[in-house]
Amino acid sequence: MATSVQNKTLTCEQCGAPLQSRAGESDCLQCLLSTGLEAADPTVISAHEPQTRFYHHYEILTLPDGSRWELGHGAMGVTYKARDVNLQTPVALKVINAQYSARPDARRRFLREAQAAARLRHPNVASVFHFGAINTLPAPDGSVTSIEEATEVGDCFYAMEFIEGETLEARVRRLGPRSPVAALEIGRQVAHALAAAEKRGLVHRDLKPSNIMLADEAMAREAGDPLRRDWVKVIDFGLARAASEDSETDGPTPFLGTVAFASPEQLAGGSVDTRSDIYSLGATLWYALTGKVPFPRGALKGISPAPATGPLPLAQVTERAVPRPVVTLLRSMLARAPGDRPRSAVALAAAIEECLPGLTNKGRSRFLPGAQRTWATAAGLALAVALAIHFATPASPSAEKSIAVLPLRNLGQDPADAFFAEGVQDDLISRLVKIRDLKVISRLGTARYPASGPRNPKSIGRELGVRNLLEGSLRRTGDRVSLQVSLIDTQDGHEIWSESYDRKLADAIYLQGELAGTIAETLDARLSPRESDGVRAAVTHNPDAYVLYLRGRKFERSPALTISDFEAAQVLYEQAVAVDPGFALAHARLASTLGLLYRFRGPSEELKKRAYREAREALRLQPGLGEAHLVNGLCAYRIDRDFARALPELVKANSLLPNDTEAESFMAYIHRRRGEWREARSGLERCQARDPNNATYAEELYTTSYLLRDWPAARRHALRAAALEPSLPLLKVQRALVDMWENGNLSPLQQVFATLPAYGYPEGTFTWMRWDAAMIARDFDGAQAAIDEFPFDTLSSVYSAPVPKSYLEGCIALAQGEDSLAREKFDAARPVLEAETLAHPVNALRHARLGLLYAYMGRKADAVREGNRAVELQPMSEDAFDGPENASTLALIHARLGDEDAALDMIGQLLRKPGGVFFYEASMSLSELRLRWQWDPLRKDPRFQRLLAESEPATHY
């Protein structure tokens, strides 16, 4: 992708005229000669700045030079960054433009537009939440003036959600045109926003790059990752109106909008519908891909612009090497006749979804379908024998044949090359784990010994249980790689051997295989022919694909487990397999990442299909690749919860990767979901013994322990995990949770949150935890503060399902007895949760959440139906890990609806079964039953009082 330095002259986003500067421009000469295209009062000087800084309880903020902080301006108004002085939070405040403020008809239209925008609630749309007017006159009789009356005489404004980030226009000016994948990903999210508007009969009418915010850019800059996907927010539905309103207008509709992005029918004053917005989005994507508008058009004051004629300037996209499918999509979106465009925003979103995989998998050979497997009794017996052999005869290399590859020191000038040093370490370990005669520590197990810090070989050897350490340094300069490594004996610290390698990047692909073979020979490890081939083989012969793969590994293995990291890994793996379609290992890692996104972003049929397709392709390309068998097992486990299909693949992977504990750990997770808790715990303990510094196994043992309500063991493992990964705040929270679960002590939890940043993960999990902890403590101001500090309307992935902030606010109101306010907030949240459930009809968590919302609203039949549906979809008998959460939520639903008998019967049973404990509203520990506001309807029941007065019953497993 070309940078802004390489890109040719950009054009004005408003009219298409050439710009002299790439950044910092808000107008061009052509635009300065043009106006809003409606005749304005000649006595009014076009002053964007209002005379006051206060609009009710909103204060317009100023820049260091004293000028008002303008975010943008359009045909009807100017938008400023402002502050809600009551809540001390930032907002975007749109004030009616000075040239229209003297006209009552314009003010009425401003009100209608605000009302239309406020009806639209969607994760990809900035919300409007307040309308007002100032400088109004009181009614002579002292009566309260209606908002319509105030609008007739006052200066109008409305407040919107403030979005941190930058507009698409600013991004293109700053960095140059976007890649096809990045542009279509933006288009996909905008199409979803337009679909929500279309459902409500609304047309945006002014869609353009400056009305599309890329909300995650600030976070991406902090992480130093320019490839993270952006969270798109469509702003300024200021010209939005119902499509039916055009048909009710006599004569041509006066044009308002931005000429360079307006559809032909909009410019001609005809009626418009969603297809007009699709045209504008097509022009916007054209601008994103080329830095130019397809039809530059300007208009002098008072003269309406004419629709464009002539063919599309396809040379612009050809020059940018835009792929043919994208050009075809753009041509359909920019068709002159509305009937030739995609018929709806939903159809457009589907077309983009179909186009995206072709971009990321360009040049890939056709996939071969995987064989259909049926499991008979003989197959089950064979699997049981394989498992018995695996666990009965573990690999037992001698102490001398054990090694840990420590993080390599990056000597390059560019800190960004650190990923390359990490990738080389990871690649080397992935080869060594294939040697059964070696004991090898994972990368996570060595992460706490960074190259920048002091190292004591004897101490590290004792902690990891290994005899040998490999350490070294790496420098990448242009197309050359220099690697220096030393093998250290941990017993006395002496250097066994050292070697230096200086290779071209193209040859460095083979370096790790050569080095792994040398290590095996030095340690006298026996290699079977298959192991020898696997250790020395090049994963790819393409150095560009290899570098992309290494970068993807950095994000996929991030311990933070954030969606943005997995999305970054997905993009990089997609690019790697596009460069080298035969790169089996990259296909496998892409499949694994897609499976994680399915788990954490929410069920998606498209993600499911793509994950299985990539997994099958990895296995087709390299049938003996352990990682390919591993990911086929992981897809069955993560996506379908098909444990019978997952286990054989995991067993095969474990035989091919005998020193990699990942396959065995997932066997333990399957035991846990089947309710085989002792087997799960012993399996994880084996993994931890083989890889003692891997925080993952400490955390999973912590999870297993608290689900069994074994609080001492949970505390021990939580402390271990936090010590291994001290930078992860989530582990500190988990450690403090044990005190709350065991004895109701909230102080450690409150102390942890007091020391952590106010705004945590962008997915919203951390915000949920802050809110929930404050609610347990009945600190309702603290709960509201946690919500206010989160910058978006929706917590996008709270334990894999979105939650709107209005739901959390409704709970605050309900807990305080403010039933009317609670109802208002729940009414606002309900469409979001209902839409999520309709979109994912077989996802138990979404049904459970919706059922609890209905219970809070008093809708008994709906609540019980959804709660029962969640239990049916994921019963405890089939999933002992997630199933108890659904049953606990159903118990809470009965409690909120006054069904005390049903609730208490379920509570008595659930307290004796493993599971159902964590940051859930219905978390099933005795201390939480005593503390949580959710259970207040049961407080007066004598049976509940007796239950709370007793000791926590033993958990049977």
Side-chain angles (χ1 to χ4, degrees):
M1 184 179 70
T3 65
S4 59
V5 175
Q6 297 167 325
N7 182 41
K8 294 185 178 181
T9 303
L10 295 173
T11 55
C12 175
E13 185 254 2
Q14 301 292 323
C15 71
L19 291 175
Q20 302 302 313
S21 171
R22 294 182 181 279
E25 298 217 34
S26 60
D27 292 301
C28 69
L29 181 60
Q30 175 69 45
C31 289
L32 291 173
L33 295 175
S34 304
T35 62
L37 304 180
E38 272 198 351
D41 186 344
T43 64
V44 177
I45 299 174
S46 181
H48 293 311
E49 290 195 355
Q51 297 302 307
T52 178
R53 283 181 53 199
F54 283 90
Y55 285 74
H56 292 183
H57 57 285
Y58 301 108
E59 177 189 16
I60 295 177
L61 301 179
T62 58
L63 296 169
D65 63 1
S67 62
R68 288 163 173 77
W69 195 329
E70 184 176 319
L71 300 174
H73 58 273
M76 281 296 291
V78 187
T79 305
Y80 299 93
K81 184 174 182 180
R83 179 173 63 96
D84 184 326
V85 297
N86 291 340
L87 300 179
Q88 296 294 307
T89 54
V91 299
L93 195 72
K94 184 166 184 178
V95 180
I96 191 167
N97 199 310
Q99 71 184 78
Y100 298 117
S101 61
R103 295 169 41 182
D105 63 324
R107 291 197 296 268
R108 287 194 296 272
R109 186 170 64 206
F110 193 80
L111 171 60
R112 289 198 305 271
E113 291 163 358
Q115 291 171 332
R119 294 202 304 269
L120 187 57
R121 299 286 179 179
H122 189 271
N124 292 121
V125 176
S127 300
V128 172
F129 49 78
H130 181 85
F131 182 93
I134 63 171
N135 300 325
T136 59
L137 296 175
D141 60 356
S143 61
V144 178
T145 304
S146 69
I147 191 62
E148 289 77 12
E149 293 169 331
T151 300
E152 288 285 335
V153 296
D155 295 327
C156 307
F157 69 93
Y158 59 82
M160 298 177 286
E161 174 187 7
F162 176 74
I163 310 297
E164 287 282 358
E166 67 179 340
T167 65
L168 175 59
E169 180 198 13
R171 177 73 64 82
V172 173
R173 290 192 185 184
R174 183 169 63 84
L175 296 178
R178 307 290 79 209
S179 72
V181 172
L184 285 197
E185 173 59 21
I186 292 169
R188 182 185 67 82
Q189 296 185 57
V190 175
H192 287 308
L194 294 181
E198 184 179 32
K199 187 182 296 184
R200 290 159 179 78
L202 295 176
V203 185
H204 189 291
R205 301 170 64 92
D206 196 24
L207 196 63
K208 56 186 178 181
S210 60
N211 279 341
I212 296 174
M213 289 293 299
L214 308 180
D216 265 354
E217 173 62 3
M219 284 175 272
R221 284 199 303 270
E222 291 174 3
D225 172 31
L227 290 177
R228 295 194 181 193
R229 294 192 175 184
D230 301 292
W231 188 344
V232 172
K233 285 274 193 177
V234 179
I235 62 172
D236 202 359
F237 267 71
L239 297 184
R241 61 190 296 179
S244 60
E245 291 180 30
D246 286 331
S247 62
E248 298 170 1
T249 304
D250 294 330
T253 303
F255 174 80
L256 282 176
T258 304
V259 293
F261 296 91
S263 65
E265 63 270 26
Q266 189 178 358
L267 291 168
S271 62
V272 300
D273 57 18
T274 300
R275 293 171 296 179
S276 181
D277 282 346
I278 290 175
Y279 182 100
S280 298
L281 179 54
T284 296
L285 295 181
W286 190 286
Y287 180 86
L289 288 162
T290 67
K292 303 173 183 178
V293 293
F295 298 112
R297 293 172 291 199
L300 296 180
K301 183 176 180 179
I303 304 176
S304 296
T309 58
L312 281 169
L314 295 178
Q316 293 180 7
V317 288
T318 302
E319 176 182 294
R320 302 293 308 177
V322 176
R324 186 184 301 275
V326 182
V327 176
T328 301
L329 177 64
L330 290 173
R331 293 181 72 169
S332 71
M333 296 172 71
L334 291 167
R336 179 173 177 79
D340 293 336
R341 300 173 203 150
R343 66 183 182 277
S344 67
V346 173
L348 173 61
I352 294 175
E353 294 279 5
E354 291 179 4
C355 196
L356 272 167
L359 300 183
T360 55
N361 300 317
K362 186 179 179 182
R364 179 180 302 181
S365 59
R366 293 183 62 192
F367 294 111
L368 296 180
Q372 298 295 319
R373 296 182 177 88
T374 58
W375 300 104
T377 304
L381 289 173
L383 173 61
V385 170
L387 286 169
I389 292 173
H390 165 71
F391 289 121
T393 58
S396 55
S398 63
E400 287 75 16
K401 299 179 184 181
S402 56
I403 187 169
V405 180
L406 301 183
L408 301 174
R409 185 180 178 191
N410 173 37
L411 299 180
Q413 298 295 321
D414 187 353
D417 279 344
F419 83 88
F420 194 80
E422 294 174 14
V424 169
Q425 179 206 13
D426 187 74
D427 190 9
L428 180 57
I429 292 172
S430 71
R431 295 169 186 274
L432 292 173
V433 297
K434 298 177 181 181
I435 304 174
R436 185 173 298 275
D437 204 28
L438 283 180
K439 173 185 176 182
V440 183
I441 301 299
S442 72
R443 185 198 62 81
L444 284 175
T446 63
R448 63 184 310 214
Y449 309 110
S452 58
R455 290 169 173 170
N456 184 317
K458 290 184 179 181
S459 176
I460 296 175
R462 281 195 307 272
E463 292 174 8
L464 296 178
V466 295
R467 176 68 181 268
N468 306 283
L469 300 178
L470 186 81
E471 58 181 12
S473 60
L474 183 142
R475 184 191 305 274
R476 182 184 174 202
T477 308
D479 66 344
R480 299 203 69 83
V481 176
S482 299
L483 176 66
Q484 190 280 324
V485 290
S486 300
L487 189 65
I488 308 297
D489 188 322
T490 61
Q491 286 196 340
D492 55 16
H494 84 272
E495 185 179 279
I496 300 173
W497 62 259
S498 65
E499 188 61 75
S500 297
Y501 303 86
D502 185 59
R503 305 283 175 86
K504 288 185 176 180
L505 180 60
D507 297 328
I509 295 172
Y510 311 98
L511 180 56
Q512 283 75 260
E514 179 183 335
L515 184 55
T518 301
I519 291 171
E521 292 172 3
T522 303
L523 300 182
D524 196 26
R526 296 184 303 275
L527 276 74
S528 68
R530 185 181 67 184
E531 288 174 347
S532 181
D533 291 342
V535 166
R536 292 185 169 90
V539 294
T540 176
H541 299 288
N542 189 305
D544 293 330
Y546 183 64
V547 171
L548 289 165
Y549 167 80
L550 294 184
R551 295 190 67 186
R553 285 292 287 161
K554 176 179 175 63
F555 288 107
E556 185 196 356
R557 67 193 179 205
S558 168
L561 294 178
T562 59
I563 290 177
S564 54
D565 282 334
F566 297 142
E567 289 176 335
Q570 175 193 347
V571 171
L572 290 160
Y573 290 144
E574 287 170 344
Q575 292 175 352
V577 298
V579 172
D580 180 6
F583 194 168
L585 188 57
H587 283 288
R589 298 319 311 174
L590 176 55
S592 177
T593 303
L594 292 169
L596 285 167
L597 286 171
Y598 182 95
R599 171 68 181 85
F600 288 103
R601 194 164 65 190
S604 160
E605 193 62 27
E606 176 62 24
L607 283 173
K608 176 179 177 176
K609 290 179 181 178
R610 291 195 59 203
Y612 276 115
R613 188 172 63 198
E614 296 294 337
R616 289 195 301 269
E617 180 69 355
L619 204 55
R620 184 191 72 82
L621 289 167
Q622 202 169 337
L625 184 67
E627 291 87 346
H629 287 281
L630 174 63
V631 76
N632 273 273
L634 294 185
C635 284
Y637 172 81
R638 287 172 174 156
I639 296 174
D640 288 326
R641 297 293 190 232
D642 189 340
F643 308 139
R645 186 157 51 92
L647 272 172
E649 292 293 334
L650 295 175
V651 171
K652 180 68 172 178
N654 200 67
S655 69
L656 294 170
L657 305 168
N659 281 293
D660 187 346
T661 52
E662 187 173 11
E664 184 170 353
S665 70
F666 275 91
M667 295 179 201
Y669 304 154
I670 288 176
H671 283 305
R672 194 164 62 185
R673 290 187 179 274
R674 285 177 163 174
E676 299 160 355
W677 294 94
R678 290 181 176 83
E679 293 86 346
R681 181 178 262 180
S682 62
L684 288 170
E685 287 171 346
R686 281 195 301 272
C687 292
Q688 186 180 58
R690 292 167 58 193
D691 197 1
N693 277 8
N694 191 328
T696 299
Y697 302 134
E699 186 178 8
E700 290 297 342
L701 283 166
Y702 155 79
T703 300
T704 304
S705 298
Y706 74 64
L707 291 174
L708 296 174
R709 300 183 184 84
D710 182 352
W711 311 126
R715 179 178 291 102
R716 183 173 67 253
H717 292 303
L719 287 168
R720 175 66 175 163
L724 291 172
E725 288 285 357
S727 63
L728 288 183
L730 183 59
L731 297 182
K732 298 176 183 177
V733 174
Q734 290 180 351
R735 181 181 60 192
L737 277 171
V738 179
D739 287 297
M740 188 263 288
W741 287 327
E742 184 175 23
N743 51 40
N745 183 7
L746 291 172
S747 295
L749 197 58
Q750 293 165 332
Q751 291 169 9
V752 169
F753 281 127
T755 63
L756 296 177
Y759 168 52
Y761 300 132
E763 286 82 10
T765 303
F766 214 70
T767 296
W768 172 282
M769 287 183 165
R770 284 184 175 277
W771 169 83
D772 193 42
M775 293 293 287
I776 295 172
R778 314 240 173 188
D779 175 12
F780 302 120
D781 289 340
Q784 185 64 51
I787 299 171
D788 293 338
E789 286 159 356
F790 188 71
F792 309 112
D793 277 347
T794 300
L795 285 63
S796 65
S797 184
V798 176
Y799 311 116
S800 307
V803 175
K805 289 165 71 171
S806 53
Y807 173 84
L808 306 184
E809 291 173 329
C811 290
I812 295 174
L814 187 63
Q816 296 183 93
E818 299 175 4
D819 294 344
S820 177
L821 178 59
R823 180 78 185 198
E824 176 186 333
K825 295 294 184 180
F826 289 142
D827 275 334
R830 180 176 54 80
V832 177
L833 296 183
E834 287 177 338
E836 281 291 328
T837 307
L838 287 172
H840 305 285
V842 295
N843 182 252
L845 176 58
R846 285 167 167 80
H847 283 282
R849 284 238 170 98
L850 181 59
L852 189 54
L853 170 70
Y854 286 149
Y856 289 153
M857 300 177 74
R859 294 173 54 168
K860 183 170 184 176
D862 292 332
V864 174
R865 180 192 69 240
E866 294 298 321
N868 282 328
R869 181 58 177 155
V871 172
E872 291 167 3
L873 287 168
Q874 204 170 37
M876 289 189 290
S877 59
E878 295 181 9
D879 191 335
F881 187 85
D882 286 331
E885 179 192 350
N886 303 319
S888 298
T889 302
L890 180 58
L892 179 55
I893 288 172
H894 285 303
R896 297 300 310 188
L897 296 173
D899 299 335
E900 291 90 350
D901 291 343
L904 287 166
D905 286 346
M906 293 188 72
I907 291 171
Q909 296 176 38
L910 288 165
L911 279 176
R912 290 171 170 81
K913 291 181 178 291
V917 179
F918 195 48
F919 253 122
Y920 311 129
E921 291 176 85
S923 181
M924 195 56 63
S925 70
L926 189 62
S927 292
E928 287 173 284
L929 290 171
R930 292 170 177 149
L931 292 171
R932 283 186 174 275
W933 65 274
Q934 288 94 336
W935 300 104
D936 284 355
L938 297 179
R939 299 280 168 216
K940 295 180 181 179
D941 191 297
R943 293 168 296 174
F944 191 64
Q945 293 172 355
R946 286 195 298 271
L947 177 69
L948 299 186
E950 297 171 355
S951 300
E952 190 165 56
T955 300
H956 302 300
Y957 61 96

